[in-house]
Every structure is written in C-alpha cells, then in structure tokens.
Amino acid sequence: MVAVIALGGSIWLAYAVLHDLPGAAELRDISAMAQATTLYDKDNQPAFTIFQERRVETPLSDVSPHLVRAIISIEDQRFYDHGGVDLIRVFAAAATNLRAHRAAQGGSTLTQQLARQSFLSSDKTLRRKLKEAVLAWRIEREFTKDQILELYLNKVYFGDGLYGVEAASLGFFGKHASDLDVEESALLAGLVKSPSTYAPTINLDRALARRNVVLQAMRDNDAIDAATYQQAVRSRPRLADALRSEEAYGQYFKEEVRKQLVQRFGWDRVYQGGLKVYTTIDLEMQKSAEAEVARSLAEIEQRQLKRNPKAERGPDPLQAALVAMDPMTGDVRAMVGGRSFDQSRFNRATQARRQAGSAFKPFVYAAALEQGFTPATVITGLDNPIATLQGAWVPDDHGGSGAMTMRAALKVSSNRAAVQMLQQVGIPTAVRYAQRLGIGNLPAVPSLALGSGEVSLLAMTSAYSAFANQGMVTPASLVRRVEDASGQVLYMSSTREERALSESTAFIMTSMLSDVINGGTAWQARRVGFTLPAAGKTGTTNDYRDAWFVGFTPRLVAGVWLGYDMPRTIIANGYAGELAVPMWGRFMAAATRGDKPQRFMMPATVVPVTVCRLSGKLATDGCRGAVVFDRDGLATDRSMVYTEYFVRGTEPDDYCPLHTGIYNYNAVATSGDGVARPVVATSGAAQLPPLAPVDHLREPTPPRVDTRLGDATPVATSPAVAAPPTTPAGTAPRKRGFWGRVFRR
C-alpha cells in the first residue's frame, strides 16, 4: 500500500513538474527577449529609446572580461563545470539554511536563473525549483556555455529599469559594457542579487559594500590579484547616465514618432522588437527651440504681471508651440508642442487647430498670382461692402481707404485689400490652392482671407515651405528609415514632392514676404539679431487670442504659435509682431548660426522691372524725383521707384500717369506705403479721410516700423524695359522755369 501511494505521489509530482514546461521549439526560442527600440537623430546618433524593458542586446565578445569574471565569481563559481544544477552548491546552501533556520542562501546556477527569467515565476516553492532544475538541464543540452552566459547577461535585471549588461553599463556609468573596469564590473555584478536594494542611484554606500563582497569573491576565486583588489575596494565610482539623460529634450517629437510607429508596426514590435528608427530631429536645434519657447513664455508672463500685478497663473497657463523643418525634404528638425511635456502631452504643434489670422493671407495672394495678377496690381474699392449671409460687411482696417498695390497690401497686412483680392480671385479658387499646399477643411466665406479657418501649426509651416522650395510642397516627415534588430529595412521614407505653385509664384511671394521682415509687421526679427535673408508673415486673431509667425530662409522654415488652450486674450494689444516674432527671430538666429547668407534664386520665368510704387506702372522721371510733403508738411524730393518682379509677359507696358504734381507723403505712408491715388498739393497737404476702427483679425503696422519708401530689392533699371522718354518724339526739350523746377513740370 505504501509503495502504491509513493508511486502515485511520484507520478503526480512528475506530472505537476513536467506537464506545462515549454516545448523544444519554445526552448530554442529562449534567445527572443524584449529589446528597446532606439531612435536616432539626423546624424545617426542615439537620441531616444522606447521600451517595455530597457535593454540593449550585445554579444558576449563585447562584454568586459572583468564583468564576466565578476558575475561568475559571485553567482556561479562552477559555471563551466556543472550540467545546469550545481549539486555541491545545493547541498552547501541547504546546510547553511538549516543552521540559520531560514532561506539564508540560494543554490541556483546562472543556467537556473536564466530558466526562471525566461519561463517561470519567482514563487519560492518546491514545484518551481524542480521545474527550474529540469529546464536548466534541458538548456545545457541545447546551448553551449558561452551561449548561455550571453543570454544571461542580456536578460538579467540590474535595477532602475535596466535589463542586460549593456543598458546597465550605459545607465549607471555612461559607458559601454566592453569598457568597464574591475570595480565597475564588481558593482554591477553585486546588483543581481537585489537590484532595488543595492542600486547606486538609491544608496551608494550600500552599493559599495555589496561591491566589496563581490571583489572579495573575485579575489578568492583568483579572478583578480591582491593589488587589484586593494586598489578596487578603495575606489569610488563616477556615476553617469548616457542612456536616459539624452532624453532631456524633444519629448513632443519622440511622442509623435512613437505614435506613428505603433500605428504602423503595432505595440509589441515597437516596445519589444528592438527597432532602429532613424529620425529627422536635430538635437541642437531642438534645444534652441525649447529654450526660446521657455524664454518667450516667461517674458510675456512678466508683461502680464506688470499690467496686472495681482494676476496669477491659473490651471490653463499660456502655451506656445514651434516647428522647424527643411523646406526641400520636409524633414522636421525641431518640434515643441507646449511649455512642458510632463504637465501636458497634448501636442499643440500637431493636434491643436486654431485660426491663423493674417498668416493665411499669403495663400490668397499666391492664388491671385497664379491667376495672372502681379505684385504691382492696384487693389481698389477697399470701402466697397462684401455681401455675406449676415448682410453687407466691410472689414475694419488700419490701412486707410485708398487703393494700394498687392505688395504694399501684404506688407502692411491690409484686411480690406485681402478680402477684395479674395473676391476677385474667387473663394473656391483660393480654397483649392490652399488645399494643394496642405491646408484643408476651410470655410468658403469672405472672412477666409483674414484667416478664419482653423489649421495646425505643422500644416501651416509645411505650406510655407512651398514658397522656399520653388513651389514644391513636401509632406512633413519625422522618420527617415526603420530597421529591425537584424538590420533589415522595414520602412524608408520617400520625398514625395508635388507641384503646388509655379516657380515664379513661389519666388514673387517670397519677395513680397521679405518686405514683411525687412520693414513690415515682422521687423522685430531683425531687432533681436536675425540677419539672414528671409521671408514670412505674422498673424493675430480676434481679441488677441492667437499670435502666429511663419517664416523661412532657403534652407529652413519655422512656425511659432502662442495662445491659451481655452482661447482668451493673451495680452491687450498683443500683436504677433510683438509676441511671436521675437521668439521666431531668436530661434532662427540660433538655428542658423554659422550659416552663410543665401539668397532666394530667381527663376528664368521672372523678370525685374523698374516701376512706380504708387501706380504699379513703368517709372518715369517724375516718379524718381517726385516732390512730396512729409509728415511735417515740408516739401521734399522722394523717389517712388523700386524694382518689382513679374512673370515674363505680365510686366506693365505703359508709364505712370500720376506724377505731374506734388504728392503728400504723409497720405501715402498712412495709407499703407502704396496708395495709388495721387494727392496733388496746391496749397498745403491734402488730408485723408479718418481711419476706420482697427480690426482684431489683422496685423497693423507696428509703431516703430521703418516707413521709408526704400524697398528690400535694389532699385535698378530693368534690362527688359527701355527707359521712358522724357519728351515727346521730335520736340525739342523745353527749359524749366523756377516753378517748373519746383513742381517738376
């Protein structure tokens, strides 16, 4: 009977131990382990990691021999002699535990620990220990000793979320596992017993005490000599984190990449598959972006406190976003989605959709250029009401009611001129061109010209890149290439350029937008130290709720936005030229430091022509030496001539009809530096009608803007246009009298 019971018990125990052990295929797959996905920057240097277990797999040949000897000395001195279970150590541990009346010592070999880490739980039961022994025996017959050691060193946990010797070496000492010295190796080996207890980042003294135990074991095992031991126990380690400190910047960028990867490859592969992801980020540019966002937010909040000392930051603090990208490839170099990723992971560069204000106007004018209009086209009827579903509408404006050229209208951001141009181009046409630039879901209403549509900062920045890239638009890209752990390419980005605008339109728009920076609403970009040739446009929305600026050089386009998540006034009279432009200018100055000036290339389809600033017609002698009254009412000579750009065949062929009298410069300047209606002064300066109330979906000319009539492009006689005649053909020139010389008659 006893024999039957014993046999039955043995069968039950054997079944309990063996029935759910992994099969041969699973055992051979023991080398499969969760590996961190590594994200590299544009220079192919590690920038971020995505992981379930932070692990960097490494071959045994790339592990310091000191670390190998330290692990074997403290964990399994007879590793190369036993067959998976060290019976001598098991009996010695059992004797020690009996004397101590507790589990004071374990007898698990490295192979048993590998079996437990790979297939079993950590329950301290006899059944689990027997399973562990059986699996260790099977592992020893499936793999060589070096293969087992390599698997163990890559799987073992060292604390602080670090798995494997390479991650532990980088995370604790800032160096690769191959470069560890004796004392560093001993410290890591000591962590295996209890990572949370001995981690040097938690309690360094305790970690050193445990390290010295390992060093003594190495000395007893003849892994080191006495002199090395004495030197090692007296040393103190220099801790450095090369694995996690690199992620102090770019968290919004990383999160955007992570979401794209999970969507394409799935969660398991991204978090455990050890992918190598080559991104587009420029870490130095990213650091500059985050620094400027923080600086600008602090400056604006200081201004808010000066105006209202009792104001306190509420649960909805002021936010900012910034995107910088290569206009030719679409590669995103920097991305800031808010003031703090830790406080809010909502990415205001990609997820927020806000009204763009006047930053949308360039798309209206680009559509006009595509339809045959020119920068010298005079926009008239600024007082004419626009029919809407709510009735007749005349936008509020700061630019007066006189007519003005398209270039002048964009420079001073005239609302009425933009709306009138939209009416002439047609709303459907403007919407179609905006969509070609990547701006979708727009309202087909007259206020579209003033930026009433909602867009993301990334979409706006990408759209402006077409101006810098000869009319070609390239979708924004954050990832260049993805490889699996073995190096096989899983994804390769392709530069999918599409023609959105003609080369001539892109260049002419760039020329017009250059005026905005050189003497228009974005003049503060120059004040803060940005000097390279550039172009861009500001945007301020109703009640000063949003402040935008998007600008570009031939090699970099950047957009910035400021506002509250729950829209409200940022600051009274807080125009984008004062809030967004300085942030953009300082960032661009840092991002392009060391770059040589590079001018925008004029295509062969564009010709420069010398025209009159007021009429947009070919310049005459009267335009070059017009007598005007300045703001003080004094008569002075003033040139109205500048070089304008035209698509070949659209340049004017008639001469300016306006300059036959004295013109009131005060009226011209107040009306937007481009009024086409001459003010003939016969007795004092004529006065313009009172200005309309200022609209809030607009960009006014800042108080200190340079209102000189000089243009960013040099005045030059067009090679395509002959100089205008000064006297009728066949008529002898008549000498001017005194009054003729005064009035240029």
Side-chain angles (χ1 to χ4, degrees):
M1 185 65 180
V2 174
V4 173
I5 294 175
L7 178 61
S10 298
I11 294 173
W12 175 86
L13 181 60
Y15 175 79
V17 171
L18 300 176
H19 87 282
D20 58 351
L21 288 179
E26 291 179 90
L27 193 67
R28 286 192 295 271
D29 201 35
I30 191 175
S31 59
M33 61 189 80
Q35 298 182 52
T37 286
T38 303
L39 275 59
Y40 299 88
D41 67 10
K42 74 176 186 66
D43 297 319
N44 301 331
Q45 297 300 311
F48 313 104
T49 53
I50 301 173
F51 58 92
Q52 181 184 26
E53 298 177 355
R54 190 186 292 268
R55 176 185 286 107
V56 182
E57 194 170 357
T58 188
L60 183 63
S61 59
D62 288 342
V63 178
S64 168
H66 300 306
L67 181 56
V68 172
R69 288 193 287 267
I71 288 285
I72 291 177
S73 295
I74 195 65
E75 293 295 325
D76 190 356
Q77 294 181 5
R78 280 176 290 277
F79 171 71
Y80 284 101
D81 299 325
H82 61 67
V85 177
D86 187 351
L87 295 178
I88 296 175
R89 188 176 181 188
V90 169
F91 288 124
T96 300
N97 294 340
L98 285 174
R99 287 194 298 270
H101 301 289
R102 61 184 180 88
Q105 191 177 99
S108 294
T109 64
L110 293 182
T111 313
Q112 288 175 277
Q113 293 180 45
L114 176 62
R116 181 170 67 248
Q117 292 164 4
S118 302
F119 301 111
L120 304 174
S121 68
S122 298
D123 298 337
K124 294 183 178 181
T125 63
L126 177 61
R127 179 183 175 188
R128 196 269 295 165
K129 292 293 292 183
L130 292 173
K131 285 176 176 288
E132 183 182 288
V134 173
L135 282 174
W137 181 81
R138 291 175 59 190
I139 290 171
E140 290 276 347
R141 277 141 190 82
E142 187 69 37
F143 301 96
T144 67
K145 285 290 186 178
D146 283 351
Q147 288 175 327
I148 293 171
L149 185 58
E150 181 177 296
L151 287 169
Y152 176 85
L153 291 174
N154 278 292
K155 284 201 171 190
V156 67
Y157 181 56
F158 288 92
D160 270 10
L162 303 171
Y163 290 80
V165 293
E166 179 71 2
S169 300
L170 291 169
F172 287 126
F173 300 116
K175 59 175 63 175
H176 294 289
S178 59
D179 299 326
L180 294 172
D181 58 25
V182 171
E183 49 266 36
E184 292 166 342
S185 298
L187 192 149
L188 288 187
L191 299 179
V192 173
K193 180 179 181 180
S194 181
S196 59
T197 301
Y198 299 121
T201 53
I202 297 175
N203 190 318
L204 182 58
D205 290 337
R206 190 181 297 165
L208 292 179
R210 175 63 180 169
R211 180 204 65 181
N212 293 342
V213 171
V214 176
L215 289 171
Q216 184 62 57
M218 295 176 71
R219 177 72 185 92
D220 296 340
N221 201 38
D222 293 328
I224 56 175
D225 57 27
T228 302
Y229 169 79
Q230 291 297 332
Q231 180 181 355
V233 295
R234 289 194 296 267
S235 67
R236 291 185 70 84
R238 295 182 60 183
L239 300 180
D241 187 352
L243 197 62
R244 292 160 292 188
S245 60
E246 64 209 19
E247 298 197 5
Y249 301 94
Q251 290 302 300
Y252 283 105
F253 185 99
K254 175 187 175 182
E255 176 63 10
E256 192 67 22
V257 171
R258 185 198 67 82
K259 290 191 295 185
Q260 292 183 14
L261 292 173
V262 170
Q263 183 177 15
R264 180 179 289 270
F265 300 109
W267 190 94
D268 289 343
R269 199 168 193 182
V270 173
Y271 278 82
Q272 303 178 23
L275 300 179
K276 298 176 182 178
V277 182
Y278 296 88
T279 75
T280 62
I281 193 172
D282 183 324
L283 283 178
E284 290 304 313
M285 198 176 293
Q286 180 68 38
K287 293 176 183 178
S288 297
E290 295 187 20
E292 284 307 326
V293 165
R295 175 179 174 177
S296 296
L297 287 172
E299 288 178 350
I300 295 170
E301 287 173 342
Q302 284 298 314
R303 289 179 58 183
Q304 291 172 332
L305 286 174
K306 287 182 179 179
R307 295 193 181 188
N308 183 9
K310 297 182 179 180
E312 296 181 1
R313 183 188 299 177
D316 178 27
L318 181 64
Q319 296 286 352
L322 185 151
V323 171
M325 57 191 293
D326 185 320
M328 290 180 286
T329 64
D331 290 350
V332 176
R333 298 303 185 200
M335 176 183 289
V336 182
R339 66 186 303 140
S340 171
F341 183 78
D342 293 335
Q343 296 175 9
S344 170
R345 297 194 173 191
F346 180 72
N347 192 331
R348 294 151 189 87
T350 60
Q351 295 175 283
R353 293 180 60 85
R354 305 291 285 256
Q355 289 186 340
S358 294
F360 187 85
K361 289 176 181 175
F363 306 142
V364 175
Y365 290 120
L369 292 175
E370 292 282 288
Q371 298 304 301
F373 292 86
T374 75
T377 295
V378 176
I379 307 173
T380 61
L382 303 192
D383 289 336
N384 295 344
I386 306 298
T388 70
L389 294 177
Q390 290 74 33
W393 172 58
V394 178
D396 289 339
D397 213 344
H398 59 279
S401 57
M404 61 182 69
T405 63
M406 185 192 296
R407 178 180 289 272
L410 181 61
K411 179 178 179 180
V412 300
S413 200
S414 169
N415 287 340
R416 296 184 184 181
V419 173
Q420 288 295 335
M421 182 55 69
L422 178 64
Q423 293 298 108
Q424 296 183 52
V425 171
I427 293 176
T429 300
V431 169
R432 184 171 69 254
Y433 276 99
Q435 290 173 339
R436 292 172 64 172
L437 290 164
I439 305 294
N441 300 318
L442 296 172
V445 295
S447 63
L448 174 66
L450 308 184
S452 60
E454 294 183 339
V455 295
S456 72
L457 177 61
L458 181 61
M460 285 289 289
T461 307
S462 179
Y464 270 67
S465 69
F467 299 138
N469 191 30
Q470 294 82 51
M472 303 297 291
V473 65
T474 306
S477 173
L478 282 74
V479 176
R480 295 177 287 136
R481 185 174 78 254
V482 179
E483 298 176 357
D484 63 15
S486 64
Q488 180 179 354
V489 176
L490 304 177
Y491 166 81
M492 179 75 73
S493 67
S494 58
T495 303
R496 303 187 310 277
E497 285 188 321
E498 295 183 3
R499 173 66 63 188
L501 303 169
S502 66
E503 283 188 82
S504 55
T505 292
F507 175 79
I508 292 172
M509 279 304 308
T510 297
S511 170
M512 294 166 62
L513 291 170
S514 297
D515 291 353
V516 176
I517 289 181
N518 294 329
T521 56
W523 66 278
Q524 290 210 44
R526 301 304 190 196
R527 182 184 65 82
V528 298
F530 177 63
T531 60
L532 295 182
K537 185 69 183 77
T538 50
T540 308
T541 60
N542 286 334
D543 301 324
Y544 311 99
R545 294 176 176 179
D546 303 89
W548 296 74
F549 186 75
V550 187
F552 54 92
T553 69
R555 289 182 293 217
L556 186 67
V557 55
V560 299
W561 167 87
L562 284 150
Y564 289 95
D565 289 339
M566 298 298 292
R568 58 189 173 95
T569 300
I570 300 173
I571 193 169
N573 297 316
Y575 295 106
E578 301 172 359
L579 303 181
V581 170
M583 177 168 69
W584 182 91
R586 289 192 295 258
F587 164 74
M588 288 293 286
T592 61
R593 186 174 293 116
D595 289 358
K596 295 181 179 179
Q598 179 180 347
R599 299 201 173 275
F600 299 95
M601 297 299 295
M602 183 176 69
T605 53
V606 173
V607 293
V609 177
T610 304
V611 300
C612 174
R613 184 177 303 279
L614 301 186
S615 66
K617 304 297 183 180
L618 298 177
T620 68
D621 282 349
C623 303
R624 291 183 173 85
V627 176
V628 298
F629 286 100
D630 62 18
R631 291 183 176 85
D632 298 324
L634 300 176
T636 183
D637 286 348
R638 181 75 63 174
S639 175
M640 295 294 176
V641 177
Y642 77 106
T643 299
E644 186 57 89
Y645 296 101
F646 298 86
V647 177
R648 192 179 299 276
T650 67
E651 61 269 29
D653 56 7
D654 52 346
Y655 294 101
C656 173
L658 302 179
H659 287 101
T660 57
I662 303 176
Y663 301 92
N664 186 341
Y665 174 67
N666 186 43
V668 171
T670 307
S671 300
D673 201 16
V675 176
R677 180 187 62 199
V679 182
V680 181
T682 56
S683 59
Q687 299 297 316
L688 285 177
L691 299 182
V694 177
D695 180 30
H696 293 307
L697 264 174
R698 78 317 193 198
E699 286 297 320
T701 303
R704 294 178 57 191
V705 71
D706 183 3
T707 55
R708 293 175 297 171
L709 293 177
D711 195 80
T713 52
V715 176
T717 302
S718 169
V721 181
T726 57
T727 60
T731 303
R734 185 177 58 184
K735 293 185 178 180
R736 293 179 180 176
F738 173 78
W739 294 109
R741 289 195 298 273
V742 171
F743 291 100
R744 294 294 192 272
R745 291 177 181 266

